[in-house]
Amino acid sequence: MLVCVTLEDLVRLRRARDVMDRDYARPLDVPALAAVALMSPGHFSRSFRAAFGETPYSYLMTRRIERAKALLRRGDLSVTEVCFEVGCTSLGSFSSRFTELVGESPSAYRARRHEEGAAIPACVAKVFTRPVRAGRPGASGRPVRIGEADPAAAS
């Protein structure tokens, strides 16, 4: 099913995406986000996927995992505390999604040394540490730059 996203819809979708970026730790669901975008939940979900290439839930979980990675690198919170801090309500679901996106469990990620990236500005580090789901551009675990082939896609 082809969904055409109008410029007006895109503005509304960006408003909802901004809420996810800012309020990722709050309980957010499709009906609440659809209300922000002034759309029905079904139209919101279809339009969001058409505009951004992933479902609203997937986008929100990616934001939460990004934040969880930063908290785990600090090392002062347990995995359970990080799970709840980023807005997840199930440790099992959090750990499964974290492992799916990052390639290792939250405990293994937390235990690993992270000093080598400490000197990199956060805005640059965010680009290279963004969780990327397998089967999407950048599936090799690093972003694909314009004009560069993804090594994972070649295999």
Side-chain angles (χ1 to χ4, degrees):
M1 173 184 202
L2 181 62
V3 176
C4 182
V5 180
T6 66
L7 185 58
E8 183 179 323
D9 283 349
L10 188 57
V11 169
R12 292 176 180 169
L13 291 167
R14 284 184 178 164
R15 190 175 308 131
R17 190 178 67 178
D18 289 345
V19 166
M20 286 187 264
D21 290 340
R22 183 181 55 247
D23 299 331
Y24 62 86
R26 283 189 26 225
L28 297 172
D29 58 11
V30 169
L33 294 166
V36 170
L38 305 175
M39 297 178 176
S40 72
H43 182 65
F44 172 74
S45 291
R46 287 187 300 275
S47 298
F48 191 96
R49 185 176 193 133
F52 303 119
E54 60 186 327
T55 66
Y57 177 77
S58 178
Y59 182 85
L60 177 60
M61 285 305 295
T62 300
R63 294 289 81 68
R64 288 176 172 171
I65 298 303
E66 280 179 345
R67 182 64 183 138
K69 287 176 68 176
L71 293 172
L72 290 168
R73 281 193 300 272
R74 281 190 353 205
D76 59 343
L77 297 175
S78 71
V79 171
T80 302
E81 290 169 324
V82 169
C83 168
F84 295 121
E85 183 75 21
V86 299
C88 294
T89 56
S90 164
L91 182 58
S93 296
F94 167 75
S95 294
S96 295
R97 182 55 63 101
F98 189 98
T99 302
E100 174 189 341
L101 292 175
V102 178
E104 62 186 328
S105 71
S107 298
Y109 184 84
R110 183 177 184 266
R112 193 162 44 84
R113 296 185 57 176
H114 298 282
E115 289 84 17
E116 68 277 359
I120 300 171
C123 58
V124 174
K126 185 176 179 181
V127 171
F128 288 97
T129 61
R130 182 169 193 244
V132 179
R133 179 172 285 101
R136 290 184 43 214
S140 62
R142 66 176 184 77
V144 177
R145 291 170 184 79
I146 296 174
E148 175 183 63
D150 180 15
S155 50

